[in-house]
Amino acid sequence: RGAVARWNAHGIAGLVLVAWALAVLMVPRVLDLALRDPAIEAAKVAVLLGAGAALRLSWRAAGLVVQGFFLGNMLPMTAVVGQLYIDAPLRLCNAYLLDDQARLGQWLIALAVLLALGWLAQVGWVMARREGTLLAPDNA
């Protein structure tokens, strides 16, 4: 963790890596290639595992402001991709049916909303705890 902390100040480098990985893996062409080529599927899984590790190492170090910036960019992107999947009159991924594509779009939008609400609830809880410790009477 010490070696990682030098290049991952405030969790920014790790969150940029996560954002890049998720953005690339949302591209329909990548999804099609991953279904056809086992090497690309293995690379996709490796990238997702690496992104998960980077997220784990970066999330707490990021703090609420950087977390908010990260989610403020990633969640709308996820919702927009989901809406594109729903509204596209043609299949974007050759390996999936149009109904599957629309269902994926609905799941992406729901995921973005749930993650936003979960993070906001966490922020509210952290702020309430901070406020409670600031307003607690002295025991001395």
Side-chain angles (χ1 to χ4, degrees):
R1 287 186 184 221
V4 170
R6 283 195 302 273
W7 66 266
N8 195 22
H10 303 289
I12 293 172
L15 293 178
V16 167
L17 175 71
V18 172
W20 175 83
L22 293 177
V24 168
L25 292 176
M26 281 190 211
V27 174
R29 178 76 173 136
V30 174
L31 296 173
D32 281 342
L33 286 173
L35 288 173
R36 277 192 287 170
D37 189 351
I40 293 178
E41 176 69 18
K44 180 186 84 170
V45 170
V47 166
L48 284 173
L49 289 173
L55 186 61
R56 172 74 172 100
L57 291 171
S58 303
W59 193 251
R60 283 199 178 160
L64 293 177
V65 172
V66 175
Q67 289 174 6
F69 182 81
F70 171 74
L71 291 176
N73 284 290
M74 292 304 300
L75 295 180
M77 179 183 71
T78 302
V80 166
V81 169
Q83 193 63 48
L84 288 173
Y85 281 165
I86 291 170
D87 292 341
L90 302 172
R91 292 186 324 180
L92 298 176
C93 298
N94 293 329
Y96 298 106
L97 299 174
L98 195 55
D99 290 344
D100 294 332
Q101 177 177 300
R103 193 173 312 112
L104 173 63
Q106 293 166 348
W107 277 98
L108 286 172
I109 292 171
L111 178 66
V113 169
L114 289 174
L115 286 174
L117 291 174
W119 183 75
L120 288 172
Q122 176 204 359
V123 168
W125 184 74
V126 166
M127 295 303 211
R129 277 191 42 196
R130 284 184 188 166
E131 192 70 26
T133 58
L134 291 176
L135 296 177
D138 291 333
N139 291 336

